[in-house]
Each structure stands twice: as C-alpha cells, then as structure tokens.
Amino acid sequence: MRFARIAFGLLVALVGLVVTVAGGVAAFWLVGPDNTVDTGAQSLASDGLAVMTAPDLIDRHGATLHLTAAAAEPVFVGIGQDIDVASYLGRSQYTRLIRFELPSSFDSQEMTGKVAALTAPAGLDWWTVKAAGDGKQSLAWPIVDGRYDVVVMNADGSPAVDAKVTFGVEIDGLFGSCLMVFGGGLLLTFIGLLLTFVRRRRQPLPPVPVVKPLNLQPVMPYTPPKVSSQPSSVRRAVGVAAVVMLTATGCTGIPPKNVSQEVTTKPAVTLADGQAVLDRYAEVRSRVNQTRDATLDETIEAGPRLRQSRAAVFIGRKLDPAGKDTAASDSFENIEIGAPEFAAYPMRFVSTSTLSTDPTRRQLGVWERGNAGTPWLLTHAVFPLTAEDVPPMDDLRTPDKTDMAKLPLLPQAAGANLARYLSEGPASKQAAHFAATTDLTQVLANRAKDKQSQIAKDYISSVTDTFRLEGQPTVFIASNGEALVFLNLTEQFLQQVEPGNYANWTSGAVSAYSKNVKYYQTLRQDYLHEVALVIPPTGKTRVLAIHTQVVGGGGS
C-alpha cells in the first residue's frame, strides 16, 4: 500500500508540475494582464493589392480582435463584411490567408487577377472599423457573428503590399483563468508531494479486555471503531483542485462558433451613411450649379438623372453663357432612408427628404452603388408634393415573385399604360387605371394646351405627341404592400409644317439645340420624364411625381 501511495503521489505531483508550468507560461508569457494573446509582428506581403483573411477564418465571436500594422508606405487596415470586401477586391490580384495555427503560422493562397490600383479604401463607408495613415496603425474590434474579413492594404490602393502585422485576441477573464490553472497546478504538486513523503500514522489497536477468573462477569462483545464517512482532507483537497481546474478551463471558455456564416445579405446602407451620401450630393450639386461643370455630375449621378442634369447644363451654357441665372442649391432635411437587404452588388436605397428651397415639395430619389469600390450615385429623382402619400421607408425591400404576384398590375404594364394615357390624353382608355394626382393632371393639361396653341398657327398642319416607356422600371415593396416604382418615359412632341412654309425655334429651352435654324417639314421637341408611381394591392395606381427635362430638339 505504501508503494502504491508513493507512486500515485508522484503521478499527481508530475501532473501538477505540468499544469503549473502550462498555467504560468500562459499567464505570464502568452497572455498577460490585458487578457490578450497575440502573434507578434509577422511579415505579410503580396505582389497584389491586399492581404486579407478568408471569410471562414474568423469563425468565432465574442472576443475582441486587435490588429496593428506598420509599413514603409502609408498603410490601411480594415475589417468589413465579406460581401463588401469581395466586391471591392473583385477580380484583383491579392493574397488570402486561409489557415492560422498558434502561435504564428499562416497558410496563404495567391488570388490572381488585375493589379490596377483600387479606390483608396479609407474613403469607403462600409468598413466596420478602419485605420489608415503613416506609421503604425491599430484598431480593436469586438468580433460579432457573421462573415467578416480583415484587410491590409496600401493606403492609396496601389499594389505591392509589405507590412508588419500583429494579430491579437482578447478574451475576458483569460488572464485570471490562467492564474487559476497555475494555482491549481501548484496545489496538485503540493498534494502529490504530500502523498509521496508524508508517512501515514498507524491507528492504535484497541485495548484487550482483561478477564478476571475469580469474579466472572458478562463480557460485552467487541465493537471495532467506526470509520468516518466524510472524505479525508487529502481527498477533499484533490476534489477541490479538480473542480478549480475544471472551472478555470471552462469559465472563460472558447468563444462560440459563428452560426450565421451562411447569411450573406446586408442592408444597402445605414441611416448615418445614407445621410452622408445626401450631404455630399448637395455639396457637389451646389458646385455644379455655380460652375456648370458637367464632369462633376458624373461623380454623383448616373442613368436618367445624369441625362437630365447634362441637358440642363448644356441648355444653361447655351442660353446664359455669362452664368447670371444659376439655380439655387438645395439642402436635404428630415431625411428618411429605405435600405433593402442585398446579397450582392449592385445595391440600391431610397431617400426622401424635405427641400430647403421649396417647402411645398420633397425629394424622392434612388441611389445605386455598382460595386463596393464605387460611390453612391443618384439614378432617379422626382419631387412629389408634400401632400402626396409616399410609402413608408421602414422595411423597404426589393420584390420577389410572391410580391409581384400580389400586385394587380405589373410595373412594366403600369409604365406602358401611363405612356399611352399621356400620349392619347384624358380620353384614353388607360385613364381608368390611374388616380387623378396633381402632377399627372398638370402634365395632361400642359400638353393639351401646347397642342391647341401649335395647331392654331397657320404654318403648322398637325401635332403628334408620343410618350414611350424606356428601360426597365426600378421597383421596391413597402411594408404596407405597396409597390414604389421608378420609371422613365421619353416624349417626342412633333409638329408638321405646312407645305411651302418653314418654322424655327427662337426661344425656350429647346432653342439651345437649334436656335433660328429653318425647318420645312417638322419641328421636334424631345423630353425625358422621370416618374415615381405607387401600385397599391387594391385600387388605382397613383402617380406621385413627374420630373420633366428637355433633352433635345430640332426638326427636318
């Protein structure tokens, strides 16, 4: 028995010694009082545009990730959702870290592609956290559940990255747990030594009863001493040590696994970022109005909105070369943002706001970002009266097949019906599909008046006015089930000239395209209309607003 006790004591002491060394190394070398374990400075380089982590490399959450990078050139470090990072890097060449082994071993994969410089990353608004500049750049990020990438780049987006990078993970209570393991190891070592070197005292034998032969008395039967049912102090110490170690290794715990690794959608924009987009637009639009620099428009607009703005700049330069009649600049107030969820780029969001220059109307616009490396651009803009009921922006979404099936009229059909209604006038059969709104009524009245005034001229034989739907409508579904539809209509207002006569443009916006040119067959005015309409689940379609711009003119 003594040999078994000594052997068991030596085993316990050896285990305690190992645990003590492990706890001490972890507490005083790997972790430290800041609860952070890090890789030390590692050299990360790429001939491409970035070094980034694969989206499944950060597969746990709850801890805090610390990242520090330093390079000879200004450096950028950032953490963003994989949907944004993947779109930003696109088909560029970069290095991807695909595996990490403690303490500092990385496996990487070279992604081939283009090496053309990207948009400077620090100016993009979708990064969760970011830092950029000369010297050492650091950031800390409480890791959340989801698909996120760590990116190290040159601050200007140029290729050939070479930086010293330190990754660290901070886990609450880690240092304390390591100390508990260290203490538990010391306790085990002490218990093992106690079992090995301290000899157990023998239990004294009970006294032998003396029998008096001359005076015989009944002898009570011998009862051996009871053994206590309570554990010995050694057993109790061993039990406490075991509980302490189990608690220490479990109370901090490994950060939990991500459960949303497959979730790949995100809102197009946050409210704060959406407001920043509108503020930037107002600033640049003010410069465009003052300078009539059409190239600036390309940095804030696209699609039909850009076509209208270019036409307005062209007309302004032609009819007011001195720049005396410049448009007032709007600022956007009381901004509301409708940001649908997207799984990939391009992404869109809708904004509505009041206007500083016109309290009777509000702005309603669609903004689009082609990929994560491009700015938000305004693609549609109309200005409904404040009295018009705009669908709610909360929980705005892009439609699926179920949403489209619930609509009484598809957006494409609604646009075609509206074009025919405007072409034929109030007598059109398509009028039954639409509610009488202010902008719709005003356009119909203006075109009827224009037709009547032109036909009354001796040199005009007839007038035709043709609207056509251009392109595909952009559709959103509001929380109340209404479809908010943005579409574009082209219009050609054509006047036939009486034989033997001629006509020409002498004034008005259309004259910028062919002033004082004589035409003997036709006169032509070209318009582009941006339209926003609402298709309710039941009832007639409402035209919220129509924004019209002359985009051409002439004749034959």
Side-chain angles (χ1 to χ4, degrees):
M1 293 296 294
R2 184 171 181 272
F3 174 77
R5 179 168 57 82
I6 292 174
F8 179 70
L10 288 175
L11 179 62
V12 172
L14 180 61
V15 172
L17 182 61
V18 172
V19 173
T20 300
V21 172
V25 169
F28 303 111
W29 184 57
L30 289 177
V31 181
D34 59 357
N35 294 317
T36 301
V37 56
D38 65 53
T39 63
Q42 302 296 315
S43 179
L44 296 181
S46 174
D47 292 333
L49 294 157
V51 177
M52 64 165 284
T53 59
D56 56 352
L57 195 60
I58 303 177
D59 60 351
R60 297 181 181 274
H61 60 279
T64 299
L65 178 64
H66 294 269
L67 182 65
T68 299
E73 302 294 330
V75 68
F76 169 86
V77 289
I79 299 173
Q81 293 191 50
D82 182 62
I83 187 175
D84 297 310
V85 174
S87 174
Y88 174 57
L89 294 178
R91 297 183 179 181
S92 299
Q93 179 179 337
Y94 60 93
T95 300
R96 183 163 62 180
L97 304 180
I98 57 175
R99 187 167 57 184
F100 169 68
E101 295 179 358
L102 289 172
S104 57
S105 175
F106 295 97
D107 288 339
S108 62
Q109 180 182 25
E110 296 300 321
M111 310 300 291
T112 60
K114 299 179 294 184
V115 291
L118 296 173
T119 303
L124 302 172
D125 58 10
W126 44 261
W127 295 103
T128 303
V129 289
K130 61 185 177 181
D134 294 317
K136 184 181 294 185
Q137 299 297 316
S138 301
L139 54 81
W141 174 55
I143 304 174
V144 297
D145 195 354
R147 293 172 63 85
Y148 287 85
D149 305 328
V150 177
V151 179
V152 179
M153 299 179 62
N154 293 329
D156 60 358
S158 62
V161 180
D162 188 4
K164 294 287 186 180
V165 182
T166 301
F167 293 89
V169 178
E170 177 186 348
I171 302 175
D172 288 341
L174 182 59
F175 179 65
S177 294
C178 292
L179 289 180
M180 293 177 69
V181 172
F182 178 73
L186 289 176
L187 182 59
L188 278 178
T189 303
F190 173 76
I191 293 171
L193 294 175
L194 187 67
L195 290 172
T196 302
F197 297 108
V198 177
R199 302 180 64 179
R200 179 182 294 179
R201 292 183 179 181
R202 293 182 178 272
Q203 191 72 253
L205 295 176
V208 179
V210 179
V211 180
K212 296 180 180 181
L214 298 178
N215 187 14
L216 299 176
Q217 298 290 336
V219 178
M220 299 298 292
Y222 168 70
T223 303
K226 294 183 178 180
V227 179
S228 173
S229 62
Q230 297 295 324
S232 67
S233 59
V234 174
R235 289 174 60 196
R236 186 182 303 114
V238 173
V240 169
V243 171
V244 167
M245 289 185 64
L246 291 174
T247 303
T249 56
C251 67
T252 298
I254 299 175
K257 273 272 192 180
N258 290 345
V259 297
S260 59
Q261 278 288 307
E262 300 306 318
V263 177
T264 57
T265 63
K266 58 163 286 186
V269 73
T270 64
L271 176 60
D273 288 339
Q275 291 177 331
V277 169
L278 268 70
D279 289 343
R280 175 179 175 272
Y281 178 88
E283 176 188 349
V284 177
R285 169 52 53 195
S286 176
R287 300 208 310 266
V288 172
N289 290 347
Q290 296 299 320
T291 64
R292 289 177 177 159
D293 183 357
T295 60
L296 286 176
D297 272 324
E298 298 174 5
T299 67
I300 55 173
E301 294 180 343
R305 177 70 264 176
L306 180 59
R307 287 174 59 193
Q308 286 199 346
S309 294
R310 283 174 171 170
V313 169
F314 174 80
I315 293 169
R317 284 179 169 178
K318 285 287 186 176
L319 303 185
D320 181 28
K324 296 179 180 179
D325 186 18
T326 56
S329 299
D330 266 313
S331 61
F332 303 108
E333 303 166 354
N334 305 312
I335 298 172
E336 296 179 41
I337 300 294
E341 296 266 344
F342 285 91
Y345 285 84
M347 295 185 182
R348 298 184 181 93
F349 75 89
V350 178
S351 68
T352 179
S353 62
T354 56
L355 299 171
S356 59
T357 59
D358 187 354
T360 66
R361 290 190 177 265
R362 61 193 310 174
Q363 181 262 14
L364 180 63
V366 179
W367 306 80
E368 181 172 320
R369 174 177 256 167
N371 61 67
T374 57
W376 285 105
L377 301 176
L378 183 65
T379 58
H380 297 79
V382 294
F383 303 91
L385 291 166
T386 53
E388 293 291 347
D389 187 15
V390 175
M393 294 292 105
D394 294 339
D395 299 321
L396 199 70
R397 65 182 188 275
T398 55
D400 54 25
K401 292 182 179 179
T402 302
D403 294 320
M404 300 298 278
K406 292 178 181 178
L407 297 177
L409 190 65
L410 291 178
Q412 190 80 9
N417 286 341
L418 179 59
R420 186 171 177 182
Y421 180 19
L422 293 172
S423 298
E424 297 176 355
S428 174
K429 293 181 180 179
Q430 272 61 39
H433 295 288
F434 297 92
T437 59
T438 301
D439 276 19
L440 176 59
T441 303
Q442 189 66 49
V443 170
L444 288 167
N446 288 342
R447 286 301 176 262
K449 182 179 178 181
D450 290 343
K451 285 183 179 180
Q452 186 177 6
S453 64
Q454 294 302 321
I455 292 176
K457 296 177 180 178
D458 294 338
Y459 55 89
I460 300 297
S461 62
S462 63
V463 175
T464 58
D465 192 17
T466 306
F467 289 75
R468 289 186 175 87
L469 177 64
E470 182 180 75
Q472 294 292 323
T474 300
V475 187
F476 302 90
I477 302 296
S479 56
N480 60 4
E482 293 181 331
L484 177 59
V485 181
F486 296 85
L487 54 86
N488 310 306
L489 300 177
T490 60
E491 177 192 2
Q492 186 177 83
F493 191 83
L494 192 64
Q495 303 159 243
Q496 298 291 334
V497 179
E498 285 281 4
N501 291 281
Y502 71 87
N504 63 301
W505 301 111
T506 59
S507 63
V510 69
S511 66
Y513 294 93
S514 56
K515 189 172 184 178
N516 293 325
V517 177
K518 296 178 180 180
Y519 298 102
Y520 294 88
Q521 295 180 341
T522 62
L523 283 179
R524 188 190 80 252
Q525 299 178 67
D526 299 320
Y527 296 89
L528 176 62
H529 304 273
E530 291 190 85
V531 182
L533 50 83
V534 174
I535 304 176
T538 59
K540 296 183 177 182
T541 299
R542 293 185 296 113
V543 177
L544 287 178
I546 301 176
H547 187 252
T548 301
Q549 175 64 52
V550 175
V551 294
S556 60

